[in-house]
Amino acid sequence: RFQAYVYFASVFQAMSCGIHYLASVFMAVTPNFVCDIPGNVSKVLSYNSSGSSIEDIWTLWTSTENYIVVHLENGEIWELNQCSRSKREVSSDLTYEYKGNKSEFSCSDGFLYDHAKWKSTIVTEWDLVCDREWLAKLIQPTFMLGVLIGAVIFGDIADRMGRQRVIWFTSAGQFVFGIAVAFTFDYYSFVVVRFLLAMVSSGYLVVAFVYVTEFVGTKARTWASMHVHAFFAVGVMVVALVGFLVRTWWVYQIFLSITTLPFVLCCWMLPETPFWLLSEERYEDAQKVIDIMARWNKVSTPCKVCELCSVQQDHLGNGRTGDNDVSSTKKHNILDLFCNWPIARRTITVWLVWFTGSLGYYVFSLSSVNLGGNEYLNLFLIGAVELPSYVIACIGMDKLGRRNTLIPFLLSSALICVLIMFIPQDFNILIILANMAGKFSIGVAFGLIYLYTAELYPTIVRSLAVGSGSMMCRVGSVVAPFCVYLRSVWIFMPLLLVGIMALLSGILTIMLPETLGKPLTNTLIEATELGRNKENSSGKTRPEKIEMFGQETANTEK
């Protein structure tokens, strides 16, 4: 019961991460627009229609390459384009086609926007069009840069200062910065606040994975960690719903930010994880948490930390040799992920899988834009389609193991990339289905790598490992658009690159140890020994593995 409370309270806030990651989909929409005119309009002509105002023309304006002709009350006739306007020298006859002299002008009076779908977006708010269009395109990359930096910073802080404090700070930060975005006064303050929002959102997501992994026993660890992704997907679905209901960007942002307000009000009740407390030798605090867990779960004889620690100290005292001793009080950094060759090889493989998962996910997503339909429904379905993929991943991880599930899905995504190259271009439905199959395969691999990474590394660097992996994931998401641009070189170049990366990742993953049913490791020495010999999976329970109260080892389950 205690673990269930902690789990659902923590992953509920993961919705806000999905919300803020995708919020710009509707917040930064560029509607139809033309240059504004210096006067009141009496009549408007488009290529194949006419009206008394420009609002009457938007629905009939089929191509942005066509200009709009407006007749002003003062008799002037103007031709309006998106980024320029021209005044006809002869204004006696109002026709669409005109062969006479015209005077060209810039859009010094601003722009007119189509407000039929969106009453206001940040593009219409600050005129991020024409020569300022590049500013709108920087909104998501700068957010992803914040995600990248936040993943590393807060992952490291969580290992140094504890998971609890980072959970508190980042969850409160998401609410505060989320609301602050709605009240920014110009584009640059908007980008800065969104950057900070990205950092805390990424930090929360990274630490939340580690937090729930360390609280949930081995029996439920797979489903618990994987369904953090499910709540992220629900956040994406919330974006679609709120975007459909609210069409003003700052009101839309406020509604998205207050969605998870209940968690912010009660997150201070979440305790620190016993794993981190034990790694910091704070045995009394760890015992207090375990006693609380025992009361919640109605266990009359909770385990005693002092007894577990005495067993651990005896074993480590016999096994330590000189420089191989890694103190639990040592402050760790990213170099510890390369402390020896087995750990370094593991880190390189894990980073490659993170990068490939993100790269493949976004390349397949960009290839599926020809699905068409309502944009709100499309985004809702994109979030909803993730839910069954996590169920499949969980079943495979529990039945086959983490490694044995990851390898087939990586290799199958590489195979699908090759098969798409041989599908005739006029078989549109088959191409779409193949792309979605590839996205499904890479999505399963991308989903389980979070849990697999947390299980491959010890407590002292677990948050750092997940955070650095998330950093590689963000690098992949930044590289993905550039990969898609290579379609101009060869239409299948993006798929070829994803296929090669997925194949390489699948082959290297073979060398990773299996973690299904294994207790979490606490030191780098234990992590190095993980999977090195068959003793790890034999009937003997390793005494140095300190399992939380309520957790069962793989041998006990058997």
Side-chain angles (χ1 to χ4, degrees):
R1 186 165 54 181
F2 181 87
Q3 283 90 335
Y5 159 74
V6 169
Y7 175 76
F8 285 107
S10 303
V11 298
F12 178 76
Q13 181 69 2
M15 285 197 304
S16 64
C17 299
I19 287 171
H20 294 306
Y21 275 44
L22 273 294
S24 63
V25 171
F26 298 127
M27 192 162 48
V29 169
T30 302
N32 290 330
F33 68 94
V34 292
C35 282
D36 201 354
I37 36 51
N40 297 322
V41 177
S42 61
K43 191 172 183 180
V44 181
L45 292 179
S46 183
Y47 180 73
N48 55 2
S49 60
S50 63
S52 59
S53 65
I54 293 183
E55 285 72 18
D56 300 330
I57 298 297
W58 289 128
T59 56
L60 303 174
W61 196 33
T62 57
S63 175
T64 57
E65 296 179 359
N66 296 329
Y67 55 84
I68 294 177
V69 179
V70 295
H71 186 262
L72 304 185
E73 292 179 351
N74 60 9
E76 295 178 350
I77 298 178
W78 289 76
E79 294 180 4
L80 306 180
N81 291 291
Q82 286 197 323
C83 298
S84 64
R85 58 184 178 170
S86 57
K87 178 183 177 183
R88 293 179 179 179
E89 298 296 336
V90 178
S91 56
S92 58
D93 187 20
L94 180 60
T95 59
Y96 189 80
E97 300 292 341
Y98 176 75
K99 304 297 184 182
N101 295 328
K102 295 182 288 187
S103 301
E104 295 288 337
F105 295 90
S106 63
C107 300
S108 56
D109 294 306
F111 300 88
L112 295 172
Y113 296 96
D114 179 9
H115 297 291
K117 285 188 176 181
W118 299 280
K119 300 299 182 184
S120 173
T121 70
I122 59 173
V123 173
T124 64
E125 184 85 6
W126 297 306
D127 289 336
L128 304 181
V129 293
C130 298
D131 58 342
R132 288 168 57 85
E133 181 182 7
W134 64 277
L135 294 174
K137 293 182 177 180
L138 280 180
I139 291 173
Q140 193 62 18
T142 54
F143 185 89
M144 298 310 295
L145 179 62
V147 169
L148 187 154
I149 295 174
V152 177
I153 291 178
F154 286 106
D156 187 39
I157 292 176
D159 284 331
R160 294 171 183 268
M161 301 181 61
R163 288 72 161 113
Q164 181 191 49
R165 294 178 182 177
V166 175
I167 290 285
W168 290 354
F169 178 81
T170 54
S171 57
Q174 284 187 82
F175 177 75
V176 171
F177 292 132
I179 296 295
V181 167
F183 295 97
T184 49
F185 52 87
D186 62 8
Y187 169 81
Y188 298 102
S189 61
F190 172 84
V191 170
V192 170
V193 177
R194 281 262 300 171
F195 181 86
L196 297 175
L197 175 61
M199 289 183 62
V200 293
S201 297
S202 175
Y204 181 88
L205 192 61
V206 167
V207 178
F209 270 100
V210 175
Y211 188 76
V212 299
T213 299
E214 294 183 347
F215 260 115
V216 178
T218 56
K219 195 170 185 178
R221 191 189 302 160
T222 302
W223 287 83
S225 64
M226 283 295 293
H227 282 80
V228 177
H229 291 285
F231 280 84
F232 185 94
V234 171
V236 176
M237 298 159 67
V238 170
V239 171
L241 180 61
V242 175
F244 176 75
L245 298 174
V246 182
R247 307 298 177 89
T248 302
W249 77 268
W250 60 272
V251 179
Y252 161 85
Q253 177 65 29
I254 291 176
F255 271 92
L256 291 178
S257 299
I258 65 176
T259 302
T260 55
L261 179 60
F263 176 81
V264 178
L265 299 178
C266 67
C267 66
W268 59 272
M269 299 171 61
L270 295 177
E272 184 58 79
T273 70
F275 264 98
W276 185 82
L277 292 172
L278 291 173
S279 70
E280 294 293 308
E281 298 183 356
R282 293 169 54 179
Y283 304 120
E284 293 183 3
D285 293 333
Q287 186 65 59
K288 292 179 181 178
V289 175
I290 292 175
D291 292 340
I292 293 174
M293 296 168 68
R295 288 197 298 270
W296 272 66
N297 295 337
K298 298 181 180 180
V299 176
S300 58
T301 56
C303 62
K304 300 298 182 181
V305 171
C306 58
E307 297 175 1
L308 296 175
C309 292
S310 62
V311 174
Q312 182 192 41
Q313 294 300 323
D314 290 342
H315 179 84
L316 293 180
N318 296 330
R320 286 178 177 173
T321 54
D323 295 337
N324 292 329
D325 180 17
V326 181
S327 174
S328 62
T329 60
K330 174 188 174 183
K331 297 303 180 182
H332 297 274
N333 54 53
I334 200 168
L335 295 179
D336 289 302
L337 301 181
F338 299 88
C339 61
N340 55 52
W341 172 239
I343 295 295
R345 184 178 60 192
R346 185 178 306 177
T347 299
I348 293 172
T349 302
V350 167
W351 282 7
L352 186 62
V353 175
W354 280 88
F355 177 86
T356 303
S358 180
L359 179 69
Y361 182 86
Y362 286 104
V363 167
F364 279 119
S365 296
L366 293 173
S367 300
S368 63
V369 294
N370 55 355
L371 290 174
N374 182 281
E375 58 267 25
Y376 304 104
L377 180 59
N378 285 347
L379 182 62
F380 186 88
L381 293 177
I382 286 175
V385 78
E386 295 182 37
L387 303 181
S389 69
Y390 300 143
V391 174
I392 297 298
C394 286
I395 295 175
M397 291 167 69
D398 275 341
K399 300 298 183 181
L400 303 176
R402 282 72 159 129
R403 182 186 60 188
N404 296 335
T405 300
L406 181 60
I407 294 172
F409 278 106
L410 284 172
L411 296 180
S412 63
S413 61
L415 178 61
I416 291 171
C417 288
V418 175
L419 292 177
I420 293 175
M421 300 180 188
F422 292 95
I423 300 176
Q425 290 300 295
D426 53 346
F427 285 37
N428 292 330
I429 296 179
L430 188 57
I431 291 175
I432 293 173
L433 292 175
N435 274 272
M436 298 312 294
K439 182 181 177 182
F440 182 89
S441 296
I442 205 75
V444 172
F446 189 32
L448 67 85
I449 191 59
Y450 279 86
L451 173 62
Y452 198 20
T453 301
E455 293 180 337
L456 285 171
Y457 291 90
T459 305
I460 54 177
V461 293
R462 188 170 294 124
S463 285
L464 185 60
V466 176
S468 62
S470 182
M471 178 190 68
M472 295 305 298
C473 162
R474 293 308 121 205
V475 173
S477 65
V478 172
V479 172
F482 298 100
C483 182
V484 175
Y485 296 154
L486 294 176
R487 289 174 60 92
S488 59
V489 178
W490 185 40
I491 190 173
F492 296 122
M493 184 63 76
L495 292 173
L496 178 63
L497 294 177
V498 172
I500 292 174
M501 296 298 295
L503 178 63
L504 180 60
S505 300
I507 294 173
L508 291 178
T509 302
I510 296 174
M511 295 184 290
L512 293 179
E514 180 55 69
T515 60
L516 176 61
K518 304 291 180 62
L520 297 176
T521 57
N522 284 317
T523 67
L524 287 167
I525 296 176
E526 295 176 12
T528 303
E529 293 296 324
L530 181 64
R532 176 170 287 182
N533 52 59
K534 294 184 179 180
E535 288 182 3
N536 294 344
S537 58
S538 66
K540 297 180 180 180
T541 303
R542 294 174 64 185
E544 70 268 29
K545 295 290 192 299
I546 299 180
E547 282 295 300
M548 295 178 296
F549 174 77
Q551 272 192 314
E552 298 177 18
T553 65
N555 306 298
T556 304
E557 291 175 359
K558 291 179 181 179

